[in-house]
Amino acid sequence: MTDTKFPAGFLWGAAASAYQVEGGIENTDWAKAACEGRVPECGRAADHYYRYEEDFNIARELGHTAHRLSVEWARIEPEEGKFDEREIAHYRKVLEALHARGITPYVTLWHFTLPLWFSERGGFEQKDSPEIFARYAAYVAERISDLCSRIGTINEPMVVGSQGWLTGEWPPFKRIPLIQRMAMQDRARVGELAPKVSWRHPFLYFFRVERNFIRAHNAAYDAIKRVAPHVEVSLVKHTVYFHSDGRLLNRLKARVANWYWTYRFMNRVIRKCDSIGLNYYQHKKFGDTATYEKSDMGWNIYPEGIYGALMLLWRYRKPLFVSEAGIADADDSRRADYIRRQVAGVAEAIAAGADVRAHLYWSLLDNYEWALGFEKRFGLVEVNYDTLERTVRPSAYVYKRIIEQNGMLD
Ligand code: BGC
């Protein structure tokens, strides 16, 4: 048995996002793109909107003490400036259901999908988008902060920016053809999806949007604090762990890559973060000669890189939590080992001094994997999309044992 020493009170659980599991969300940019055949339909997804109690029962049985969810902006503000109290009432019930099961909620305000009215008037390209987002943030925080004291503003801003404005795989499908060709996972679809943006402007769009994300986070932070000063406000940062074989040039490449992907953004929001959520999936070692087993996403399996990713963020000396990390593994043959190695990596970061407070595996349920549809299976719990039946995967019990032992690995 390895003594991996997690602090008392460390929170364990899983994460999900509204659009990927709830079902029935039709007034977003993604739903519109699905109608146009540009991304797969999401439809009723896992029907979690109606089955959250059943799903949280499973989470409780699996020993989870925390759960990360997102609230759907398009449900809450279906028209500009018009808020739907019934949807807030729904999410309050969801949060109450978590509390009733002894599960601490983490809420994210925006996880990739935008209300149609907002995206159609230009989304985060608009100058006033930060204020619009902050108004929504304050509205939600005021109404849920008695039930949730951990609120994240934006999920993975750099990913949304890159996918939406560089590779053009996601709404609003603006792309720089060269970058798209290098990055697109499904090469057969290159060129089929998006009209090209004028060659003069693409980078300008990307940087404008990125700047507005930064302003939106910072404005939302202030807006939330005004209505709910006790809330711990975070940003959820997708962090690729760039490292090297130690050779000078490769070390330099890793530094530049970490600066571009992580620090450049974090440096401009960190003063308005009470904590930082880490989403970890990938690493890149410059000068690497190793070959890696691949996940169903085609990503190198290297869960121990979570240590490096946490240490990159620990430079800011703010409390950290693993807001997402996990593997697509349809036959569940690699997930248990992956989780063990990932948890060991988190323990290593804690031993090195990082203040990590929670580990939320991605994901509780199988879900809609964005432009890749429903085929990729990240869930601790398998979802049969025909019958909506849930089946707990064996690896979920390995995770349960880790949780029961507060991180001790068999
Ligand atoms: C996103 C999730 C997604 C996961 C796996 C993260 O970047 O936040 O929505 O399902 O990665 O690709």
Side-chain angles (χ1 to χ4, degrees), residues 238-249:
H238 181 280
T239 303
V240 179
Y241 173 42
F242 291 102
H243 54 140
S244 76
D245 60 359
R247 296 219 312 269
L248 187 62
L249 183 62

Side-chain angles (χ1 to χ4, degrees), residues 102-178:
I103 300 176
T104 300
Y106 281 77
V107 164
T108 305
L109 294 171
W110 176 46
H111 196 124
F112 295 168
T113 43
L114 292 174
L116 204 50
W117 62 263
F118 180 75
S119 70
E120 290 196 327
R121 87 203 262 299
F124 279 100
E125 289 173 18
Q126 306 160 88
K127 215 168 169 207
D128 59 352
S129 54
E131 288 71 39
I132 294 174
F133 180 68
R135 177 182 64 189
Y136 156 69
Y139 179 87
V140 176
E142 196 168 11
R143 282 154 186 84
I144 66 163
S145 62
D146 56 328
L147 293 171
C148 181
S149 58
R150 295 168 173 86
I151 297 184
T153 55
I154 304 178
N155 182 69
E156 301 187 345
M158 286 293 284
V159 173
V160 195
S162 309
Q163 299 286 96
W165 283 268
L166 294 182
T167 70
E169 288 176 82
W170 291 3
F173 304 105
K174 296 192 172 169
R175 68 187 166 111
I176 298 178
L178 183 68

Side-chain angles (χ1 to χ4, degrees), residues 20 111-112 155-156 238 279 281 297 299 324 362 367 369-370 378:
Q20 290 177 275
H111 196 124
F112 295 168
N155 182 69
E156 301 187 345
H238 181 280
N279 286 5
Y281 293 94
M297 294 290 281
W299 297 341
E324 283 181 35
W362 183 269
N367 56 53
E369 183 48 36
W370 304 111
F378 278 90

